[in-house]
């Protein structure tokens, strides 16, 4: 896995499913992180091939609940991000999925109460010994790259110290979100503190925070010196942010996302959530579109709402018969 000069889709819960990752890659994302999956959930899964959709699925045993889905087309760029607080359980979970992804990443930056109360995400930032155990165990036993994504600590010196400890474990790259745990998305990302980490390390640093336009990629690179650049909200609102030729209109991107969701049989709740995030940013959920979307219970309902019924049924009729994506794209 090459971490130099890459544009990276950040892990985003409920957004970073296969359909959105494929959309981002189509627009130019070089590396695409999946949404964070908790190790407790993955260890309850079994791997299966969905011949009809050409996907590899990790399904909760005894149910039809697909916890993670991927495909051969993204094999060389998809990063599986895991939430964990235990090295042994992390390894057990990673071994289930590692042969179908390009890399495994440990979430060490999520500030949500669920993660912190479970000892995961940003809770790990204050537990360097546990970080050592998790990363060392995974690196020792897996054949794929193992990385992690952190947030800024209380002081630049603390962040640099932790980053150096992580580097000594032999990870090939480190992603750094330029906000502290207490910061909110409206608070400006501290690119200067990411720059401190870049200056202190010899491995590639992936800079994350306040990339909202394509030109921001060059701005954050110049400000931090980071090897690669990661975007979350900017991509969620308009995945064409990765395109060097300029953004497409968000309505066009939205419709293309819906087509991808149909093509890859995306979970309807995830699909609705992502569409709502686009609408809320660019328009208003209280208008007719948002109200109609709320009533949609299936992908077919969404297809009808956006006048994609013909496409929906083409996919439904053709997908079980062919893996030729060009035929249904």
């Amino acid at each position: 896995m090459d971490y130099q000069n890459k544009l990276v889709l950040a892990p985003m819960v409920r957004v970073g499913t296969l359909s959105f990752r494929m959309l981002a890659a189509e627009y130019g994302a070089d590396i695409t992180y999946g949404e964070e999956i908790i190790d407790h959930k993955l260890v309850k899964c079994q791997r299966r091939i969905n011949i009809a959709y050409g996907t590899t699925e990790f399904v909760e045993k005894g149910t039809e609940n697909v916890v993670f889905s991927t495909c051969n087309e993204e094999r060389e760029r998809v990063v599986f991000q895991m939430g964990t607080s235990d090295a042994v359980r992390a390894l057990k979970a990673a071994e289930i999925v590692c042969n179908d992804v390009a890399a495994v990443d440990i979430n060490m930056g999520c500030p949500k109460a669920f993660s912190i109360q479970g000892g995961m995400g940003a809770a790990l930032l204050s537990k360097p010994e546990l970080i050592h155990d998790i990363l060392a165990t995974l690196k020792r036993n897996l054949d794929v790259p193992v990385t992690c994504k952190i947030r800024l600590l209380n002081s630049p010196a603390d962040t640099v110290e932790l980053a150096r400890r992580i580097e000594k474990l032999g990870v090939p790259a480190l992603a750094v979100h330029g906000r502290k745990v207490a910061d909110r998305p409206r608070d400006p990302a501290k690119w200067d503190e990411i720059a401190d980490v870049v200056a202190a390390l010899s491995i590639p640093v992936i800079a994350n925070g306040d990339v909202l336009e394509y030109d921001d990629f060059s701005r954050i690179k110049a400000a931090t010196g980071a090897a690669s650049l990661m975007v979350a909200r900017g991509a969620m609102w308009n995945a064409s942010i990765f395109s060097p030729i300029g953004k497409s209109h968000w309505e066009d991107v939205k419709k293309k996302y819906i087509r991808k969701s149909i093509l890859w049989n995306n979970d309807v709740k995830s699909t609705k959530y992502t569409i709502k995030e686009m609408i809320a940013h660019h328009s208003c959920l209280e208008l007719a579109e948002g109200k109609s979307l709320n009533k949609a219970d299936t992908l077919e309902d969404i297809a009808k709402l956006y006048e994609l019924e013909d496409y929906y049924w083409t996919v439904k009729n053709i997908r079980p018969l062919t893996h030729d994506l060009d035929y249904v794209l």
Side-chain angles (χ1 to χ4, degrees), residues 1-3 6-9 18-34 70-80 100-103 260 264 325:
M1 192 92 167
D2 181 8
Y3 292 96
K6 302 301 182 186
L7 302 184
V8 185
L9 176 68
L18 174 59
S19 56
F20 195 86
R21 298 194 304 268
M22 294 297 282
L23 179 68
E26 183 174 313
Y27 280 117
D30 301 301
I31 299 173
T32 53
Y33 280 58
T70 185
C71 65
N72 288 335
E73 288 82 0
E74 68 166 2
R75 173 66 180 79
E76 300 303 316
R77 66 173 177 266
V78 62
V79 177
F80 181 84
D100 295 292
V101 298
K260 287 279 191 287
W264 296 106
L325 294 184

Side-chain angles (χ1 to χ4, degrees), residues 150 152-164 167 174 176 178 180 190-203 205 207 220-226:
I150 68 171
L152 301 177
L153 277 70
N154 289 331
S155 74
D158 289 342
T159 307
V160 167
E161 180 183 353
L162 178 63
R164 282 175 168 159
E167 180 182 37
L174 175 66
V176 182
K180 300 176 182 179
K190 300 172 179 65
W191 290 357
D192 57 330
E193 295 191 29
I194 299 178
D196 292 338
V197 176
V198 173
L201 303 188
S202 58
I203 59 172
V205 172
I220 190 172
K221 189 173 184 67
T224 65

Side-chain angles (χ1 to χ4, degrees), residues 143-269:
D143 292 328
V144 297
V146 176
T147 59
C148 61
K149 182 172 184 280
I150 68 171
R151 277 185 175 244
L152 301 177
L153 277 70
N154 289 331
S155 74
D158 289 342
T159 307
V160 167
E161 180 183 353
L162 178 63
R164 282 175 168 159
R165 294 183 70 158
I166 291 171
E167 180 182 37
K168 288 179 181 177
L169 294 171
V171 298
L174 175 66
V176 182
H177 185 169
R179 291 184 175 88
K180 300 176 182 179
V181 173
D183 290 340
R184 300 277 66 85
R186 65 179 177 272
D187 297 318
K190 300 172 179 65
W191 290 357
D192 57 330
E193 295 191 29
I194 299 178
D196 292 338
V197 176
V198 173
L201 303 188
S202 58
I203 59 172
V205 172
I206 305 169
N208 174 216
D210 286 350
V211 176
L212 303 175
E213 302 291 342
Y214 185 82
D215 288 347
D216 290 334
F217 286 123
S218 58
R219 290 179 57 241
I220 190 172
K221 189 173 184 67
T224 65
S228 292
L229 315 160
M230 177 181 279
V231 55
R233 292 175 299 155
M236 176 176 67
W237 293 331
N238 190 326
S240 66
I241 190 174
F242 292 104
S243 174
I245 63 173
K247 277 186 181 179
S248 300
H249 192 280
W250 76 274
E251 293 272 16
D252 297 329
V253 176
K254 178 182 65 178
K255 207 153 189 177
K256 185 172 284 191
Y257 168 69
I258 295 167
R259 290 166 68 95
K260 287 279 191 287
S261 294
I262 294 168
L263 181 64
W264 296 106
N265 196 33
N266 195 41
D267 173 71
V268 68
K269 291 182 180 179

